[in-house]
Amino acid sequence: MSWINKLPPKIRGFLEPKREVPDNLWVKCPETGQMVFYKDLEANQFVFPGSGYHERMTAQARLRHILDNREYERVLVTAVPADPLKFRDSRRYTDRLKDARSETEMDDSVLVGEGRLEGQNVVVAAHDMRFVGGSLGMAAGEAVIAGMLRAVEKKCPFILFAASGGARMQEGILSLMQMPRTTIAVQRLREARLPYIVVLTNPTTGGVTASYAMLGDIHIAEPGALICFAGPRVIQQTIREQLPDGFQRAEYLLAHGMIDMVVHRHHLRETLARLTRLMMRQQGARVSTSMAPGYMNGHGSHKGASIEVRRTSAAGDVVDVEGEPIAAAGKSDPSKAAPRVEATKRDAGTSRPTTPVAKPDTRT
Amino acid sequence: MRTYLDFEKPIAELESKVAELRMLSDSESSIPITDEITRLQQKAQQLMVDTYAKLTPWQKTQVARHPNRPHTVDYVSAFIEDFTPLSGDRYFGEDAAIMGGMGSFRGRSVIVLGHEKGSDTETRLKHNFGMAKPEGYRKAVRLMDLADRFNMPVITLVDTAGAYPGIDAEERGQAEAIARSTDRCLALGVPLISVVIGEGGSGGAVAIATANKILVLEHAIYTVASPEAAASILWKDATRNVEAATNMKITAQDLLQLKVIDTIVPEPLGGAHRDPEKAARNIGDGIAKALGELDGKTPEEIRRHRQDRFLEIGRSI
């Protein structure tokens, strides 16, 4: 307990803005009540040492924890109109936004950055619960889309740290429309065959879960995280029954087949690095553009605006050129092309019965 | 028996007076009261026009939820010939909250999907009040697969307060099912036309309403969360539903202004329930026009049209 708490409110209020540590020097574990020194908690990646409870993290901390040298570069996000519904409430929505911005130093609830993960390029987006409950509005939708499209541009994996109370009520239908909008960007990642890994953290709910957060190639959850569509309170009100133990927690979702794994925060970085490495390794070596028609991507059976294009090199080898055809054709880097061609040759030796070999596209 | 909404009281009084006078004029034909009847009828009519021309968002919500309002079953039987219901998601079960099937719409084979709320206690329970579980959305995905394979346009009729919030639904991946269904809509190579016929509530609506063209009935609503749910989320007080409805811009007219929807389908005077046949005709005409506008497009163009349509939302308001 700090002596500051004993001061009259006026003096306390005067002192408070000067604090560098959020809330208090001491943080209480929500599970056991254990008091932990903030610096110790931060050093332990915001996991309480006693109970292993995973405390919420800011988006900035998320990105720093996961990326090499704790460095990231922010990805530019399209600006959106502020308060399109002129939403009136006990407070003006624009005032709420202003407060959230000064508290979080973020534009909105999703921060997108690019950096390296064990040397590999990645784009990472993270929700921040401090910003209007991590809710999905127009700005967050644009941020997710920008991040995914940036990954397509860079031909690198996209990692999402989800944490959200769901759609942002103050933006009404325009918030709901972010569900299909972000899904379009997920499809672009899929067409480009780039890994999309979702890390579901406490809590991930509502419209976020019911769109891009449940459409990853791999779903990882942090221990104990609440992950759901309808929150426990809503369900209890509907059915008026006691909810089962551990209902809608990460471990429950694992048991019900909705996620691939539950990973302790201390092992998250290495897990993500391993997965992205494995998934990206043969990317340059693919021979075929077509895949078995998949019901989930829906583009398998139709030929069309796949982002991927093939070119035939002078030597007649199939060269993989992913991304925008014009840009790729413009900057043909021989140092990069060489190992790719070699990889293609090597790959051609191994038979892949499930993947039909497609004709090289000669449009470019 | 006709159910009147609270704001329709003056209309109800006039209409009951007209009915009374009619009875009188039938029994005692000696008194010439037909003029009086006509006068009152005209008055009631005018009152109806005035009332329905300026319904508040909450009043529209009430009309959209009117117990006599026509539902998916009514419209399907009105404008889909040879309708053949199809059941099951092939994984777990059949969910009657989302009806599906194939049939013929003005000469084309189509796949139809629609939330059905039911119209009496028995059917309401059977259809779970139009609140779908994962099976419903997985069935929708299955039928959209069929639509793509057999080149049949998809018509969806949206009428749900939202996806079902229950233990079993969560257990089987409600969120994932909704996300996949939205995903499937966006990948369709055939035209997808959605009509919000009553309530378009939340992700449970979007899952089958991610369409090339979105039509909304004149007094229907489409919202991120039902007014009650929104009030509960915003203020932890579900009784502030009227306030939520007013603030959230949920009416067809607001949605058109926000460029979220394409067309408002006019309803008969006093709401679709006062003349279901006319309502069905208007919807049918709206769908036919929307389909016509997409004729001759390749699957890739149709997909691109739908994706561009959604990406554009919010960027030019």
Side-chain angles (χ1 to χ4, degrees):
Chain A
M1 276 290 147
S2 160
W3 58 270
I4 297 172
N5 289 346
K6 291 178 186 154
L7 289 171
K10 257 193 186 165
I11 303 173
R12 213 193 306 159
F14 180 72
L15 285 169
E16 252 161 4
K18 289 187 181 167
R19 274 196 217 153
E20 283 177 2
V21 176
D23 289 326
N24 224 319
L25 281 169
W26 293 88
V27 191
K28 192 174 170 183
C29 173
E31 228 161 61
T32 58
Q34 175 200 17
M35 299 299 288
V36 181
F37 194 46
Y38 181 84
K39 289 279 173 204
D40 291 343
L41 188 64
E42 190 179 25
N44 202 36
Q45 299 186 8
F46 298 95
V47 178
F48 281 92
S51 61
Y53 181 87
H54 285 52
E55 184 57 279
R56 289 171 186 178
M57 281 172 77
T58 67
Q60 291 95 333
R62 277 287 176 195
L63 263 56
R64 282 199 304 269
H65 274 270
I66 224 68
L67 294 170
D68 296 355
N69 308 318
R70 304 169 65 82
E71 282 173 5
Y72 63 90
E73 204 178 305
R74 282 177 71 162
V75 170
L76 225 65
V77 178
T78 320
V80 298
D83 195 12
L85 305 190
K86 308 268 172 292
F87 195 90
R88 269 189 292 172
D89 188 349
S90 51
R91 290 180 63 209
R92 271 204 309 222
Y93 173 47
T94 45
D95 289 342
R96 276 181 206 276
L97 287 178
K98 219 175 281 167
D99 285 1
R101 281 188 191 123
S102 69
E103 191 202 333
T104 60
E105 296 177 344
M106 290 168 63
D107 296 330
D108 208 276
S109 63
V110 175
L111 176 69
V112 197
E114 53 185 275
R116 283 172 185 272
L117 171 58
E118 292 192 359
Q120 309 172 82
N121 281 328
V122 287
V123 176
V124 185
H127 280 260
D128 195 315
M129 281 301 287
R130 293 172 304 163
F131 202 108
V132 199
S135 56
L136 172 66
M138 298 169 80
E142 290 293 358
V144 170
I145 293 169
M148 290 177 175
L149 295 185
R150 179 68 185 138
V152 171
E153 201 179 352
K154 285 184 72 175
K155 295 161 209 135
C156 73
F158 181 79
I159 299 167
L160 171 81
F161 288 91
S164 178
R168 190 173 297 170
M169 294 298 127
Q170 292 91 340
E171 292 185 16
I173 192 82
L174 294 166
S175 154
L176 189 69
M177 289 300 121
Q178 303 313 314
M179 294 173 66
R181 293 182 87 245
T182 50
T183 305
I184 294 168
V186 175
Q187 293 188 347
R188 298 279 156 90
L189 274 177
R190 217 182 278 155
E191 284 162 19
R193 293 158 207 250
L194 294 166
Y196 171 30
I197 303 178
V198 182
V199 183
L200 300 145
T201 75
N202 190 42
T204 305
T205 68
V208 171
T209 326
S211 59
Y212 55 96
M214 271 290 150
L215 292 173
D217 299 312
I218 312 275
H219 293 165
I220 300 172
E222 286 194 332
L226 175 76
I227 304 154
C228 60
F229 175 62
R233 191 164 55 98
V234 177
I235 297 175
Q236 201 133 32
Q237 275 168 12
T238 317
I239 58 166
R240 303 187 187 282
E241 262 177 60
Q242 202 56 40
L243 300 176
D245 253 5
F247 180 59
Q248 298 179 319
R249 296 289 164 181
E251 298 71 17
Y252 177 93
L253 268 86
L254 182 69
H256 285 84
M258 297 320 297
I259 58 174
D260 294 282
M261 57 192 102
V262 177
V263 178
H264 192 285
R265 195 173 283 164
H266 290 172
H267 304 295
L268 215 43
R269 188 177 137 85
E270 61 182 79
T271 307
L272 289 168
R274 184 174 64 245
L275 284 168
T276 48
R277 199 171 53 237
L278 289 170
M279 291 167 92
M280 289 300 282
R281 188 189 275 155
Q282 266 103 289
Q283 275 292 58
R286 200 184 293 114
V287 200
S288 160
T289 51
S290 68
M291 58 187 288
Y295 85 94
M296 287 189 292
N297 54 32
H299 65 89
S301 53
H302 299 284
K303 191 161 165 45
S306 163
I307 288 168
E308 210 170 37
V309 276
R310 306 283 134 173
R311 288 199 307 144
T312 309
S313 75
D317 297 301
V318 177
V319 185
D320 209 11
V321 196
E322 292 174 347
E324 292 121 302
I326 302 140
K331 49 171 182 191
S332 62
D333 184 353
S335 64
K336 272 185 184 170
R340 278 188 167 182
V341 176
E342 206 183 287
T344 308
K345 279 178 180 165
R346 194 183 57 223
D347 192 69
T350 55
S351 67
R352 282 204 205 159
T354 50
T355 319
V357 178
K359 277 187 291 183
D361 194 330
T362 49
R363 278 177 299 181
T364 47
Chain B
M1 214 194 72
R2 175 160 288 168
T3 314
Y4 289 94
L5 299 165
D6 54 12
F7 63 87
E8 291 179 321
K9 238 182 209 147
I11 301 167
E13 280 164 13
L14 279 174
E15 284 188 349
S16 71
K17 221 173 257 171
V18 170
E20 261 175 51
L21 285 175
R22 276 232 178 90
M23 294 251 285
L24 269 175
S25 69
D26 284 347
S27 51
E28 300 161 51
S29 46
S30 53
I31 318 164
I33 49 172
T34 42
D35 284 358
E36 178 67 2
I37 292 177
T38 322
R39 200 184 60 81
L40 279 176
Q41 243 168 350
Q42 274 169 352
K43 204 174 163 196
Q45 179 87 356
Q46 193 52 48
L47 198 57
M48 186 95 90
V49 172
D50 294 346
T51 308
Y52 271 80
K54 45 177 203 284
L55 291 182
T56 66
W58 176 246
Q59 287 168 340
K60 280 190 185 270
T61 308
Q62 289 174 286
V63 177
R65 293 172 175 171
H66 197 286
N68 303 130
R69 195 170 173 86
H71 293 158
T72 293
V73 274
D74 306 300
Y75 292 132
V76 165
S77 62
F79 55 67
I80 303 291
E81 288 161 45
D82 292 335
F83 182 69
T84 311
L86 300 170
S87 310
D89 66 347
R90 301 295 186 270
Y91 296 113
F92 179 82
E94 154 66 359
D95 185 353
I98 294 184
M99 288 181 47
M102 57 176 76
S104 178
F105 173 75
R106 303 196 181 177
R108 320 174 188 237
S109 295
V110 292
I111 289 284
V112 184
L113 288 163
H115 301 101
E116 174 54 49
K117 287 180 167 179
S119 50
D120 52 35
T121 308
E122 194 191 331
T123 52
R124 279 180 192 131
L125 286 173
K126 179 185 162 205
H127 294 287
N128 198 28
F129 301 87
M131 294 187 286
K133 295 180 183 179
E135 301 77 79
Y137 297 106
R138 290 181 181 134
K139 176 171 73 181
V141 168
R142 199 193 125 223
L143 296 194
M144 285 190 263
D145 287 343
L146 287 182
D148 238 343
R149 210 166 329 130
F150 298 101
N151 193 27
M152 296 189 279
V154 180
I155 297 168
T156 66
L157 304 177
V158 178
D159 194 11
T160 183
Y164 183 65
I167 294 178
D168 53 343
E170 291 289 318
E171 184 173 44
R172 295 195 291 275
Q174 183 74 296
E176 196 265 357
I178 291 170
R180 287 286 170 212
S181 185
T182 311
D183 193 5
R184 190 64 189 90
C185 286
L186 282 164
L188 266 179
V190 290
L192 169 54
I193 312 293
S194 291
V195 190
V196 181
I197 56 172
E199 273 183 285
S202 185
V206 165
I208 63 166
T210 305
N212 291 87
K213 303 267 182 187
I214 303 173
L215 285 56
V216 179
L217 281 192
E218 192 182 344
H219 306 307
I221 60 165
Y222 190 9
T223 165
V224 62
S226 73
E228 292 78 9
S232 156
I233 292 166
L234 281 166
W235 308 299
K236 304 235 175 330
D237 183 0
T239 59
R240 289 170 75 179
N241 50 0
V242 179
E243 198 177 332
T246 315
N247 272 319
M248 283 204 305
K249 305 269 192 290
I250 60 174
T251 69
Q253 294 70 22
D254 287 328
L255 297 166
L256 189 68
Q257 204 163 18
L258 291 169
K259 297 182 187 166
V260 169
I261 63 161
D262 300 276
T263 312
I264 297 175
V265 178
E267 289 192 32
L269 180 62
H273 60 283
R274 284 181 211 263
D275 191 349
E277 275 169 35
K278 190 172 178 195
R281 254 193 327 272
N282 292 352
I283 295 172
D285 290 348
I287 295 171
K289 182 163 177 283
L291 279 176
E293 284 165 9
L294 294 159
D295 272 342
K297 287 197 194 297
T298 67
E300 191 44 50
E301 285 166 348
I302 289 165
R303 230 181 336 260
R304 189 60 67 183
H305 171 271
R306 193 182 301 116
Q307 299 203 349
D308 289 347
R309 183 203 180 287
F310 277 92
L311 286 177
E312 199 47 47
I313 291 176
R315 285 187 175 167
S316 57
I317 45 170

